Amino acid sequence: MPTLDWIGKKAVVNHHREVPYRLVHCNGERSAGDPDAGNLLVQGDNLEALKALLPYYAGKVKCIYIDPPYNTGNEGWVYNDNVASPEIKAWLGKVVGKEAEDLSRHDKWLCMMYPRLRLLRDFMREDGVLFVSIDDDEAHSLRMLLNEIFGISAYIGTFVWKRRTGSMDETGNFSRDHDYVIAYQRGNEGLTGDERTFAKYDNPDNDPRGDWISDNLSASKPGGDTYYAISDPDTGREFWPPKGRYWPYNPETMKEKIADGRILFPGEDGDTPMVKRFKKEAKSLFQPVSSWIGQPKDKDFLDDEGVLHLSTAMNSAATKNLKDIFGDKVFNYSKPADLVRKLIAQAAGPNDIILDSFAGSGTTGQAVFELNKEDGGNRQFILVEMDELIAPQITAERLSRVIKGYDKKGDPEKPVEGLGGGFRYCHLGTPLFNEFGDIDEAVIFPDLAAHVFFSETGAPLPKKVDASNPLIGQHKDKIVYLLFSPAEQGFPREAAGNVLTPDALADLPAAPDDFEGERVVYAEGCTVSPERLKVERVVFKQIPYQIEGQ
């Protein structure tokens, strides 16, 4: 498979493994609505935030939508659309080293994106879907990156989204008025397609085959002997395909369709025959989806192949939406919630988790709230925003206002009803392990339990845990236990409960009767003989030295 190389690649290909696990702390004052709705907004570097969230959400996310910096070179935006931000510069210097000073902006962008995309893959369910908004500046590089991380066969397609009306005078008299949404999948489920509506189907002539709808008979492409005249058997009137078009069937098949009553001939005022399409013969309850066209919603259309082209709002609608919420233009080039909502609807069901690690103004969160309000769903989102000012002042504030309701453009005469829901505002804390490799003193039992279980099984904790029960979870052929007393860590003291003694081993919650796997016990020390551990099918791992990821 062809691969993409760039300056700094060797330094970042495995960097996602070196990122420390950090604690995640919630801020009740900046949270809004129902705190138990399951939605998170995390402020912090998205690479560190993703690593911190991985033990809780690995393999659980159905849909990821990200709108990363396009790397246009324009640094004048509120949300820096370049890799020249101080945060990224500092990160590159630390990870890539002196070589970072010589990188082009494209090298920097690739260095920034690779480890983040690699971590995002680990969040996805086996039927998960990833959408990435991008434009011509890095679309080609992004495809190569995603092919390398997901595999070529995981590519679903590239949607074209018209983002503005009017032309823009650019080099070569070519106006770029569109962006792309590149779609990849973890497994082979693909997209849902748009649900077909059968509201227009009827049976006015009591056809025994049931409800039907009249559809265009002609096709845009020839398929052999498909340009000929057909005749109405009742009137003898002759019809040719419309100019530049063809019949979809050869003459023999067309005769069969006419004899079967499937061709509808027009009256005296009509000039084009139609074809009957029966509801019961629909191949699927869903229509495949192609490009998103930026135009009013009532402009959705089906092409000749039965592919649905959805219309969505353009960037101007996103700007208007933010002005309505804040009363001013607080963020440039936000994506319209209508676009993100339709993307999510293509990949996620009413109870799924959606992730956006380049949250910006919070469009994805609003789109999730809108979908839940629309169909009564319980979708949950995880948003990550790096900027320490944008996250509380724009992202969180926008979500708070759409939850509770707001006055349109600040006018109390134009109230907008809230969508309901809620979210927790979080920030990143200290790493689980300090500079000496020991567990940080700020770490409590649930924090370490989540990390230990994930590092041992590759799965998130199945339920909430507390220090009163050392059994933290079972995954396949492993049961994992944790003996950890934060106040006494660093000194294996039996009385503190952080040592696996014969008595502690006997007191461990028993495995199910039919369990044939191994029991893994994490503790700071062990006084049980190897022989007894073997008999009990127990594997002892010492804290912190045998915990992966420190």
Side-chain angles (χ1 to χ4, degrees):
M1 180 184 77
T3 58
L4 182 65
D5 197 13
W6 66 91
I7 299 174
K9 180 177 182 179
K10 291 181 180 179
V12 300
V13 165
N14 291 307
H15 179 62
H16 63 283
R17 304 180 191 278
E18 302 165 3
V19 177
Y21 288 93
R22 290 183 175 274
L23 301 180
V24 178
H25 299 295
C26 293
N27 184 326
E29 293 183 359
R30 287 179 172 170
S31 302
D34 179 6
D36 296 321
N39 301 310
L40 295 180
L41 167 57
V42 182
Q43 188 277 313
D45 180 281
N46 52 15
L47 186 61
E48 293 186 339
L50 289 174
K51 193 67 176 280
L53 294 168
L54 195 59
Y56 305 93
Y57 293 99
K60 287 188 172 184
V61 174
K62 182 64 171 68
C63 174
I64 297 175
Y65 170 75
I66 59 172
D67 182 19
Y70 282 8
N71 200 23
T72 61
N74 180 0
E75 299 179 38
W77 296 6
V78 173
Y79 188 59
N80 199 326
D81 192 38
N82 196 313
V83 287
S85 68
E87 296 87 355
I88 293 299
K89 280 184 176 178
W91 178 80
L92 285 168
K94 182 179 179 181
V95 176
V96 181
K98 281 191 173 182
E99 197 176 38
E101 299 174 4
D102 300 323
L103 302 185
S104 72
R105 67 183 176 92
H106 299 290
D107 291 322
K108 292 177 182 178
W109 189 87
L110 290 164
C111 285
M112 184 270 290
M113 288 297 294
Y114 190 97
R116 288 159 174 81
L117 290 171
R118 182 59 188 81
L119 276 180
L120 285 173
R121 183 182 182 276
D122 292 339
F123 280 84
M124 295 170 67
R125 288 172 18 179
E126 287 302 318
D127 60 350
V129 174
L130 166 71
F131 296 112
V132 187
S133 281
I134 202 70
D135 75 351
D136 287 305
D137 284 284
E138 297 292 358
H140 54 296
S141 297
L142 178 63
R143 279 288 310 276
M144 294 290 283
L145 275 188
L146 292 171
N147 283 346
E148 187 168 332
I149 294 170
F150 286 84
I152 292 177
S153 61
Y155 174 64
I156 296 174
T158 298
F159 299 107
V160 178
W161 171 62
K162 184 175 174 63
R163 58 185 171 88
R164 69 178 179 203
T165 57
S167 62
M168 184 173 180
D169 189 15
E170 296 187 12
T171 303
N173 292 320
F174 182 83
S175 177
R176 295 193 294 180
D177 58 4
H178 62 275
D179 285 350
Y180 307 104
V181 179
I182 297 177
Y184 276 72
Q185 59 191 343
R186 180 75 187 267
N188 57 8
E189 295 292 321
L191 306 181
T192 63
D194 201 67
E195 189 171 358
R196 292 182 187 273
T197 174
F198 294 103
K200 295 182 179 180
Y201 282 71
D202 197 4
N203 192 7
D205 59 353
N206 296 315
D207 193 306
R209 290 165 289 194
D211 289 356
W212 54 271
I213 191 172
S214 61
D215 198 5
N216 188 1
L217 177 60
S218 63
S220 60
K221 296 180 180 180
D225 185 13
T226 54
Y227 190 78
Y228 54 88
I230 59 175
S231 299
D232 183 340
D234 294 328
T235 65
R237 184 180 172 190
E238 191 175 79
F239 296 90
W240 287 84
K243 185 177 180 181
R245 298 181 69 83
Y246 307 83
W247 298 133
Y249 316 115
N250 61 41
E252 191 61 33
T253 301
M254 182 67 85
K255 286 181 181 179
E256 294 174 1
K257 300 286 185 182
I258 293 173
D260 196 31
R262 291 176 178 265
I263 306 303
L264 300 170
F265 289 94
E268 293 182 3
D269 297 332
D271 57 9
T272 304
M274 305 289 282
V275 62
K276 273 187 176 183
R277 301 203 186 279
F278 293 93
K279 178 180 177 180
K280 71 175 186 178
E281 294 176 354
K283 294 180 180 179
S284 170
L285 296 179
F286 297 90
Q287 295 163 328
V289 178
S290 182
S291 54
W292 270 266
I293 310 298
Q295 53 189 3
K297 295 180 182 180
D298 58 357
K299 297 295 184 179
D300 292 357
F301 68 91
L302 281 170
D303 65 18
D304 295 333
E305 305 298 325
V307 175
L308 182 66
H309 297 259
L310 292 174
S311 59
T312 66
M314 290 182 271
N315 268 338
S316 56
T319 301
K320 181 180 183 300
N321 184 211
L322 287 177
K323 283 185 176 180
D324 287 345
I325 295 172
F326 288 96
D328 196 5
K329 186 178 181 180
V330 297
F331 197 92
N332 288 319
Y333 303 107
S334 174
K335 293 297 183 292
D338 181 51
L339 170 68
V340 181
R341 187 172 64 247
K342 288 188 174 180
L343 286 169
I344 293 172
Q346 290 299 315
N351 297 301
D352 289 334
I353 298 174
I354 293 90
L355 169 62
D356 181 352
S357 56
F358 291 87
S361 69
T363 300
T364 298
Q366 179 175 331
V368 170
F369 286 141
E370 289 177 353
L371 280 170
N372 286 342
K373 182 74 171 181
E374 182 180 302
D375 63 8
N378 189 36
R379 299 169 188 83
Q380 298 174 346
F381 63 71
I382 305 165
L383 306 183
V384 181
E385 171 49 42
M386 176 185 293
D387 194 284
E388 59 185 13
L389 295 179
I390 290 175
Q393 295 177 11
I394 298 178
T395 320
E397 184 62 27
R398 176 186 190 176
L399 297 176
S400 178
R401 294 189 187 191
V402 298
I403 288 169
K404 301 173 183 177
Y406 56 90
D407 294 333
K408 187 174 181 180
K409 293 183 179 179
D411 186 349
E413 299 294 323
K414 299 177 180 179
V416 176
E417 182 182 358
L419 298 173
F423 70 94
R424 292 184 187 273
Y425 185 99
C426 306
H427 62 271
L428 298 179
T430 59
L432 264 71
F433 304 97
N434 62 28
E435 57 186 314
F436 305 108
D438 296 324
I439 297 169
D440 191 87
E441 61 182 11
V443 175
I444 59 176
F445 186 89
D447 297 327
L448 186 60
H451 179 75
V452 162
F453 191 80
F454 175 72
S455 64
E456 184 64 42
T457 67
L461 278 173
K463 60 181 180 180
K464 290 184 178 180
V465 297
D466 61 69
S468 65
N469 184 358
L471 195 164
I472 60 176
Q474 177 180 345
H475 183 71
K476 297 182 179 179
D477 60 350
K478 284 185 179 180
I479 295 178
V480 184
Y481 301 83
L482 175 63
L483 302 177
F484 175 63
S485 176
E488 303 293 342
Q489 63 168 304
F491 300 94
R493 298 173 183 172
E494 298 178 14
N498 59 2
V499 176
L500 180 61
T501 65
D503 288 341
L505 177 60
D507 290 339
L508 290 178
D513 293 337
D514 59 348
F515 181 72
E516 297 181 354
E518 65 180 14
R519 297 192 293 167
V520 182
V521 181
Y522 283 82
E524 291 192 351
C526 177
T527 62
V528 182
S529 68
E531 292 76 15
R532 184 176 176 189
L533 290 176
K534 185 175 181 180
V535 170
E536 297 286 346
R537 288 187 299 179
V538 169
V539 175
F540 165 69
K541 293 193 176 183
Q542 189 175 16
I543 298 172
Y545 311 110
Q546 290 180 282
I547 299 177
E548 295 183 14
Q550 58 174 305

PDB file of all heavy atoms in Angstrom, residues 193-207:
ATOM      1  N   GLY A 193     -27.748   5.513   5.331  1.00  0.00           N
ATOM      2  CA  GLY A 193     -28.536   6.036   4.232  1.00  0.00           C
ATOM      3  C   GLY A 193     -29.679   6.845   4.809  1.00  0.00           C
ATOM      4  O   GLY A 193     -29.894   6.887   6.022  1.00  0.00           O
ATOM      5  N   ASP A 194     -30.432   7.511   3.977  1.00  0.00           N
ATOM      6  CA  ASP A 194     -31.558   8.300   4.459  1.00  0.00           C
ATOM      7  C   ASP A 194     -32.823   7.466   4.393  1.00  0.00           C
ATOM      8  O   ASP A 194     -33.106   6.821   3.378  1.00  0.00           O
ATOM      9  CB  ASP A 194     -31.722   9.560   3.602  1.00  0.00           C
ATOM     10  CG  ASP A 194     -32.509  10.629   4.336  1.00  0.00           C
ATOM     11  OD1 ASP A 194     -31.998  11.156   5.342  1.00  0.00           O
ATOM     12  OD2 ASP A 194     -33.631  10.913   3.916  1.00  0.00           O
ATOM     13  N   GLU A 195     -33.569   7.461   5.470  1.00  0.00           N
ATOM     14  CA  GLU A 195     -34.768   6.627   5.522  1.00  0.00           C
ATOM     15  C   GLU A 195     -35.768   7.050   4.454  1.00  0.00           C
ATOM     16  O   GLU A 195     -36.095   8.223   4.306  1.00  0.00           O
ATOM     17  CB  GLU A 195     -35.413   6.728   6.904  1.00  0.00           C
ATOM     18  CG  GLU A 195     -36.533   5.737   7.106  1.00  0.00           C
ATOM     19  CD  GLU A 195     -37.010   5.698   8.543  1.00  0.00           C
ATOM     20  OE1 GLU A 195     -36.444   6.423   9.374  1.00  0.00           O
ATOM     21  OE2 GLU A 195     -37.949   4.931   8.817  1.00  0.00           O
ATOM     22  N   ARG A 196     -36.218   6.073   3.700  1.00  0.00           N
ATOM     23  CA  ARG A 196     -37.197   6.367   2.660  1.00  0.00           C
ATOM     24  C   ARG A 196     -38.517   6.775   3.289  1.00  0.00           C
ATOM     25  O   ARG A 196     -38.927   6.252   4.315  1.00  0.00           O
ATOM     26  CB  ARG A 196     -37.443   5.132   1.780  1.00  0.00           C
ATOM     27  CG  ARG A 196     -36.255   4.723   0.922  1.00  0.00           C
ATOM     28  CD  ARG A 196     -36.612   3.519   0.065  1.00  0.00           C
ATOM     29  NE  ARG A 196     -35.467   3.005  -0.647  1.00  0.00           N
ATOM     30  CZ  ARG A 196     -35.055   3.437  -1.835  1.00  0.00           C
ATOM     31  NH1 ARG A 196     -35.704   4.394  -2.426  1.00  0.00           N
ATOM     32  NH2 ARG A 196     -33.996   2.902  -2.423  1.00  0.00           N
ATOM     33  N   THR A 197     -39.183   7.702   2.662  1.00  0.00           N
ATOM     34  CA  THR A 197     -40.523   8.049   3.096  1.00  0.00           C
ATOM     35  C   THR A 197     -41.518   7.513   2.077  1.00  0.00           C
ATOM     36  O   THR A 197     -41.331   7.644   0.862  1.00  0.00           O
ATOM     37  CB  THR A 197     -40.696   9.576   3.246  1.00  0.00           C
ATOM     38  OG1 THR A 197     -42.053   9.864   3.532  1.00  0.00           O
ATOM     39  CG2 THR A 197     -40.279  10.320   1.974  1.00  0.00           C
ATOM     40  N   PHE A 198     -42.550   6.858   2.566  1.00  0.00           N
ATOM     41  CA  PHE A 198     -43.559   6.281   1.678  1.00  0.00           C
ATOM     42  C   PHE A 198     -44.865   7.070   1.738  1.00  0.00           C
ATOM     43  O   PHE A 198     -45.920   6.566   1.359  1.00  0.00           O
ATOM     44  CB  PHE A 198     -43.808   4.820   2.065  1.00  0.00           C
ATOM     45  CG  PHE A 198     -42.615   3.922   1.836  1.00  0.00           C
ATOM     46  CD1 PHE A 198     -41.822   3.522   2.889  1.00  0.00           C
ATOM     47  CD2 PHE A 198     -42.291   3.498   0.563  1.00  0.00           C
ATOM     48  CE1 PHE A 198     -40.714   2.706   2.675  1.00  0.00           C
ATOM     49  CE2 PHE A 198     -41.186   2.680   0.335  1.00  0.00           C
ATOM     50  CZ  PHE A 198     -40.403   2.284   1.403  1.00  0.00           C
ATOM     51  N   ALA A 199     -44.769   8.311   2.248  1.00  0.00           N
ATOM     52  CA  ALA A 199     -45.975   9.116   2.426  1.00  0.00           C
ATOM     53  C   ALA A 199     -46.677   9.401   1.096  1.00  0.00           C
ATOM     54  O   ALA A 199     -47.906   9.541   1.047  1.00  0.00           O
ATOM     55  CB  ALA A 199     -45.617  10.427   3.130  1.00  0.00           C
ATOM     56  N   LYS A 200     -45.910   9.487  -0.002  1.00  0.00           N
ATOM     57  CA  LYS A 200     -46.505   9.826  -1.296  1.00  0.00           C
ATOM     58  C   LYS A 200     -47.001   8.606  -2.062  1.00  0.00           C
ATOM     59  O   LYS A 200     -47.559   8.733  -3.149  1.00  0.00           O
ATOM     60  CB  LYS A 200     -45.480  10.591  -2.143  1.00  0.00           C
ATOM     61  CG  LYS A 200     -45.105  11.953  -1.557  1.00  0.00           C
ATOM     62  CD  LYS A 200     -44.136  12.695  -2.459  1.00  0.00           C
ATOM     63  CE  LYS A 200     -43.781  14.059  -1.879  1.00  0.00           C
ATOM     64  NZ  LYS A 200     -42.824  14.800  -2.751  1.00  0.00           N
ATOM     65  N   TYR A 201     -46.783   7.417  -1.501  1.00  0.00           N
ATOM     66  CA  TYR A 201     -47.262   6.205  -2.166  1.00  0.00           C
ATOM     67  C   TYR A 201     -48.774   6.075  -1.944  1.00  0.00           C
ATOM     68  O   TYR A 201     -49.290   6.351  -0.862  1.00  0.00           O
ATOM     69  CB  TYR A 201     -46.551   4.966  -1.623  1.00  0.00           C
ATOM     70  CG  TYR A 201     -45.155   4.781  -2.159  1.00  0.00           C
ATOM     71  CD1 TYR A 201     -44.127   5.634  -1.769  1.00  0.00           C
ATOM     72  CD2 TYR A 201     -44.854   3.765  -3.054  1.00  0.00           C
ATOM     73  CE1 TYR A 201     -42.832   5.481  -2.247  1.00  0.00           C
ATOM     74  CE2 TYR A 201     -43.565   3.592  -3.556  1.00  0.00           C
ATOM     75  CZ  TYR A 201     -42.558   4.461  -3.141  1.00  0.00           C
ATOM     76  OH  TYR A 201     -41.289   4.287  -3.629  1.00  0.00           O
ATOM     77  N   ASP A 202     -49.453   5.626  -2.978  1.00  0.00           N
ATOM     78  CA  ASP A 202     -50.914   5.489  -2.904  1.00  0.00           C
ATOM     79  C   ASP A 202     -51.330   4.411  -3.896  1.00  0.00           C
ATOM     80  O   ASP A 202     -50.499   3.901  -4.661  1.00  0.00           O
ATOM     81  CB  ASP A 202     -51.563   6.838  -3.247  1.00  0.00           C
ATOM     82  CG  ASP A 202     -53.014   6.894  -2.797  1.00  0.00           C
ATOM     83  OD1 ASP A 202     -53.478   5.921  -2.164  1.00  0.00           O
ATOM     84  OD2 ASP A 202     -53.681   7.900  -3.083  1.00  0.00           O
ATOM     85  N   ASN A 203     -52.622   4.082  -3.917  1.00  0.00           N
ATOM     86  CA  ASN A 203     -53.122   3.068  -4.845  1.00  0.00           C
ATOM     87  C   ASN A 203     -54.464   3.523  -5.415  1.00  0.00           C
ATOM     88  O   ASN A 203     -55.506   2.913  -5.163  1.00  0.00           O
ATOM     89  CB  ASN A 203     -53.255   1.723  -4.122  1.00  0.00           C
ATOM     90  CG  ASN A 203     -53.476   0.568  -5.084  1.00  0.00           C
ATOM     91  OD1 ASN A 203     -53.401   0.731  -6.310  1.00  0.00           O
ATOM     92  ND2 ASN A 203     -53.757  -0.601  -4.539  1.00  0.00           N
ATOM     93  N   PRO A 204     -54.434   4.608  -6.216  1.00  0.00           N
ATOM     94  CA  PRO A 204     -55.692   5.172  -6.716  1.00  0.00           C
ATOM     95  C   PRO A 204     -56.434   4.255  -7.694  1.00  0.00           C
ATOM     96  O   PRO A 204     -57.648   4.396  -7.869  1.00  0.00           O
ATOM     97  CB  PRO A 204     -55.237   6.463  -7.401  1.00  0.00           C
ATOM     98  CG  PRO A 204     -53.817   6.214  -7.782  1.00  0.00           C
ATOM     99  CD  PRO A 204     -53.271   5.365  -6.694  1.00  0.00           C
ATOM    100  N   ASP A 205     -55.724   3.305  -8.345  1.00  0.00           N
ATOM    101  CA  ASP A 205     -56.390   2.421  -9.306  1.00  0.00           C
ATOM    102  C   ASP A 205     -56.604   1.015  -8.748  1.00  0.00           C
ATOM    103  O   ASP A 205     -56.893   0.080  -9.491  1.00  0.00           O
ATOM    104  CB  ASP A 205     -55.572   2.348 -10.605  1.00  0.00           C
ATOM    105  CG  ASP A 205     -54.157   1.832 -10.365  1.00  0.00           C
ATOM    106  OD1 ASP A 205     -53.771   1.668  -9.181  1.00  0.00           O
ATOM    107  OD2 ASP A 205     -53.429   1.604 -11.351  1.00  0.00           O
ATOM    108  N   ASN A 206     -56.449   0.879  -7.408  1.00  0.00           N
ATOM    109  CA  ASN A 206     -56.641  -0.414  -6.736  1.00  0.00           C
ATOM    110  C   ASN A 206     -55.792  -1.527  -7.361  1.00  0.00           C
ATOM    111  O   ASN A 206     -56.253  -2.661  -7.528  1.00  0.00           O
ATOM    112  CB  ASN A 206     -58.121  -0.820  -6.755  1.00  0.00           C
ATOM    113  CG  ASN A 206     -58.986   0.144  -5.961  1.00  0.00           C
ATOM    114  OD1 ASN A 206     -58.625   0.536  -4.860  1.00  0.00           O
ATOM    115  ND2 ASN A 206     -60.122   0.533  -6.541  1.00  0.00           N
ATOM    116  N   ASP A 207     -54.565  -1.190  -7.696  1.00  0.00           N
ATOM    117  CA  ASP A 207     -53.657  -2.195  -8.237  1.00  0.00           C
ATOM    118  C   ASP A 207     -53.434  -3.280  -7.181  1.00  0.00           C
ATOM    119  O   ASP A 207     -53.136  -2.984  -6.020  1.00  0.00           O
ATOM    120  CB  ASP A 207     -52.315  -1.526  -8.584  1.00  0.00           C
ATOM    121  CG  ASP A 207     -51.419  -2.414  -9.427  1.00  0.00           C
ATOM    122  OD1 ASP A 207     -51.163  -3.553  -9.009  1.00  0.00           O
ATOM    123  OD2 ASP A 207     -50.959  -1.948 -10.491  1.00  0.00           O
TER     124      ASP A 207
END
